[in-house]
């Protein structure tokens, strides 16, 4: 809602946001808001913020996994640039 409230008046004033654009623009605002949440979360984790490790019983790293949030972040970027 904050993104909508920030951008919609500007776009209406520029006459680039019409009634026909309301639903796609609303979807864009939702995607962008989620993108910002994920970006903040991943950046707060530091340089290796997109992965986590699984350790075996010997306490050695067994697997390195991508965080679900990182995969969602990548998908959102693809959707936002379409």
């Amino acid at each position: 809602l904050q993104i909508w409230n920030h951008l919609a008046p500007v776009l209406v004033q520029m006459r680039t946001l019409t009634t026909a654009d309301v639903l796609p623009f609303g979807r864009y605002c939702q995607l962008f808001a989620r993108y910002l949440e994920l970006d903040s979360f991943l950046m707060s984790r530091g340089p290796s913020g997109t992965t986590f490790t699984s350790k075996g019983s010997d306490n050695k790293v067994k697997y390195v996994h991508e965080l679900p949030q990182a995969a969602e972040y990548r998908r959102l970027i693809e959707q936002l640039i379409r």
Side-chain angles (χ1 to χ4, degrees), residues 31-66:
L31 291 172
F32 193 67
R34 181 63 180 153
Y35 164 83
L36 292 175
E37 290 172 6
L38 291 168
D39 186 63
S40 177
F41 171 78
L42 294 171
M43 293 305 125
S44 72
R45 294 179 52 86
S48 61
T50 61
T51 60
F52 69 97
T53 56
S54 295
K55 296 182 179 182
S57 57
D58 58 359
N59 207 31
K60 292 184 180 178
V61 174
K62 201 169 189 179
Y63 299 105
V64 177
H65 307 274
E66 180 180 50

Side-chain angles (χ1 to χ4, degrees), residues 5-17:
N5 290 338
H6 178 73
L7 292 178
V10 174
L11 296 175
V12 168
Q13 185 178 16
M14 293 172 55
R15 298 176 189 246
T16 57
L17 182 63

